[in-house]
Each structure stands twice: as structure tokens, then as C-alpha cells.
Amino acid sequence: PGKAILTGRLIDRPLRPLFPHWIREEIQIVSTTVSLDERVPPDILAVTGASFATLLAQIPFYGPMAAVRVGLIGDDFVINPTYLEIERGDLDMVVAGSPEGVIMVEAGANQLPELDIIEAIEFGYEAVQELIRAQGELLTELGITYEKPVPPKPTEGEQSLQAFVEENANQKVQDILAQQLPKTERDQSLDAIKDDLKATIETLEETDPIRVYVTENGNALGGTFKALTKTLMRQKIVEEGIRVDGRKLDEVRPISCGVGLLPPRVHGSALFQRGLTQVLSVA
């Protein structure tokens, strides 16, 4: 079960960002291992398989997408290494990407130089592009024409709400982001701005396009406000080179790890913490 969860995460991380934000239908992709080579991990094949299944189903999707595992044996990079090669090597990296570029990198390594990691990503992405081309060739053989999804035109109410949120919240959100607050405090402050917007909308005439649209679409205000916040966050990073928590682009969040936290009656225990993520492992 643990391996299945990790494989699901491996599929989800590069696949989900490629679905259009305007999709509202529930989508389930089920990967089933029907044949297994016990020397090579099957999880990496499931990632590319999920992409091709999505293309075959003609679900709106900014794909295709593919993934490979990159190992390092001595001085040589290896695509999709065996279990034994992973154990003996110095790198276990998964690189996933679309035609536009790399989407996800997940890795463990024996303290390799940064240049080796960059080279491994580039090496893996070359193989990813081959798998992307192969999916296109298969679609052609099957006679399936795949086109990039076209977003629906925004309604009058949607456009009005977007303009309303930008006019009434843009500067307030920027002020909050500039304070470099801890995440919990920042979220509370942003929620307060959103609540004020909701209260203002409720004072509008019942026939006002904004109030009608928000009443008929329960998540409309939240989605529009979140989109504005995300845009301003990214704008701050690009223009000022600073994240909302004050970190520069080359800074990572502090990581703390400790072992032997629980009484010795358990075989072992460890605590990992980074930001709001806390993991207590018990053996």
C-alpha cells in the first residue's frame, strides 16, 4: 500500500498541473500492473501510461507528458536503472516533463555536486522528449487527432467579478504580501480581505451581474481571489527576486531532523520538520 501511494503521488505531481484550471468534471486515472519485470521499478512506466491514457480518452489536457528515472553508476547516467543499479549508484532521480519543459524533479542522492544534478535533469529530459514523441506517433497510428484545449469564453458575470476583485483587493493583497508574514498569519489576513469582498457583494442590488454570478457559482469569489493572489505572489518573485516569506530565490526553508524522540521501547523514532510539514516516523 505504501508503494502504491508513492506511485500515485509520482503520477499526480506532473499530471495534475497539465489539466486546464476550468475543468470541473471528476477525473480518475487507475494504473494497474498486469506484467512485472522484477528487476526494474514499474512506477516510472505508470507515469507515462497515465499521460497516454488521458490522451486516448481525449480529456482536455496540456500534454503529452512523460517521466523517466535517472541513475548514476560511476561516471555514467542511466535511464530507468534496475533496483540493483539504484542501490549501487549515487543518484535516484525522477524527471517528468511536457513539450514545454520540465514539470517535476524528485530525487535522492549521495551529496552530488550541483552541476551533476543539472546534467542529470538535462539527460533525463532528453529521454522524456523521446517518450513524448512516441505518444504522438501512437496517436497518429490510431487515427486520433489531439488538439490543445481551448478555454471557454468568460461570461459577463465572470469578467465583472474579476474586474471587481482586482479593483477592490489588488493593493490590499500586495500590502499583505509585502509584510512577509508567517503562512498562517498571511492566510488569515488574506481571508479577511476575501470576507470583506463577500460582504460588499452582498450589499449590491440583487440584479447586479456580480451578485447574480457569485450567488449562482458558490466557488466563484474564492477562485477569482485565489487567482489574483497567486498572480501577485509570482509577480513579486519575478520582479523583486523575493518569495512571500522573505526567502531569496536561492534560499530553501530550514530543515530540522531528530532521532530517538520516543522512549526506547520502540525500535526507533525520528522527527522531520520543514515549514508546516511535520513527519514523525516510528519503527
Coordinates of all heavy atoms in Angstrom, one line a residue, residues 85 96 102 118 121 129 138 181 204 211 266 268 280:
E85 N 20.9 -1.4 -9.7 CA 21.7 -0.2 -10.1 C 21.4 1.0 -9.2 O 22.3 1.8 -8.9 CB 21.4 0.1 -11.6 CG 22.1 -0.9 -12.5 CD 21.6 -0.7 -14.0 OE1 20.5 -0.2 -14.2 OE2 22.4 -1.0 -14.9
A96 N 10.2 14.5 -14.9 CA 9.0 14.4 -15.7 C 8.9 15.8 -16.4 O 9.3 16.8 -15.9 CB 7.7 14.2 -14.8
V102 N 10.5 20.9 -18.2 CA 10.5 20.1 -17.0 C 9.4 20.5 -16.1 O 9.2 21.7 -15.8 CB 11.8 20.1 -16.3 CG1 11.8 19.3 -15.0 CG2 13.0 19.6 -17.2
I118 N 22.2 19.1 -12.3 CA 21.7 19.8 -13.5 C 21.9 18.9 -14.8 O 21.0 18.8 -15.6 CB 22.5 21.2 -13.7 CG1 22.1 22.1 -12.5 CG2 22.1 21.8 -15.0 CD1 22.9 23.4 -12.5
I121 N 19.3 16.2 -14.8 CA 18.0 16.7 -15.3 C 17.9 16.8 -16.8 O 17.0 16.4 -17.4 CB 17.7 18.0 -14.6 CG1 17.5 17.8 -13.1 CG2 16.4 18.6 -15.2 CD1 17.4 19.1 -12.3
Q129 N 11.6 13.6 -23.8 CA 11.1 14.1 -25.1 C 10.9 13.0 -26.1 O 10.0 13.0 -26.9 CB 12.1 15.1 -25.7 CG 12.1 16.4 -24.9 CD 13.2 17.4 -25.4 OE1 14.4 17.1 -25.4 NE2 12.8 18.6 -25.8
L138 N 2.0 7.2 -31.7 CA 0.9 6.2 -31.4 C -0.4 6.8 -31.7 O -1.3 6.1 -32.3 CB 1.0 5.8 -30.0 CG 2.1 4.7 -29.6 CD1 2.2 4.5 -28.1 CD2 1.7 3.4 -30.3
L181 N 4.7 37.8 6.2 CA 4.2 37.2 7.4 C 4.4 35.7 7.4 O 4.5 35.1 6.3 CB 2.7 37.5 7.5 CG 2.3 39.0 7.6 CD1 0.8 39.1 7.4 CD2 2.7 39.6 8.9
L204 N -24.8 44.7 -2.9 CA -25.2 45.1 -4.2 C -26.6 44.7 -4.5 O -27.2 43.9 -3.8 CB -24.3 44.4 -5.3 CG -22.8 44.7 -5.2 CD1 -22.0 43.9 -6.2 CD2 -22.5 46.2 -5.4
R211 N -23.3 40.1 -8.3 CA -24.0 39.3 -7.2 C -24.7 38.1 -7.8 O -24.7 37.0 -7.1 CB -25.0 40.3 -6.5 CG -25.7 39.6 -5.4 CD -26.5 40.6 -4.5 NE -27.2 39.9 -3.4 CZ -28.0 40.5 -2.5 NH1 -28.1 41.8 -2.6 NH2 -28.6 39.8 -1.6
V266 N 10.2 1.5 21.7 CA 10.0 1.4 20.2 C 11.4 1.2 19.6 O 12.4 1.6 20.2 CB 9.3 2.6 19.6 CG1 7.9 2.8 20.2 CG2 10.2 3.8 19.8
G268 N 12.7 2.5 17.0 CA 13.3 3.7 16.5 C 12.3 4.8 16.2 O 11.1 4.5 16.0
L280 N 6.5 12.4 11.9 CA 7.0 11.5 13.0 C 7.0 10.1 12.5 O 5.9 9.5 12.2 CB 6.2 11.6 14.2 CG 6.6 10.7 15.4 CD1 8.0 11.1 15.9 CD2 5.5 10.8 16.5

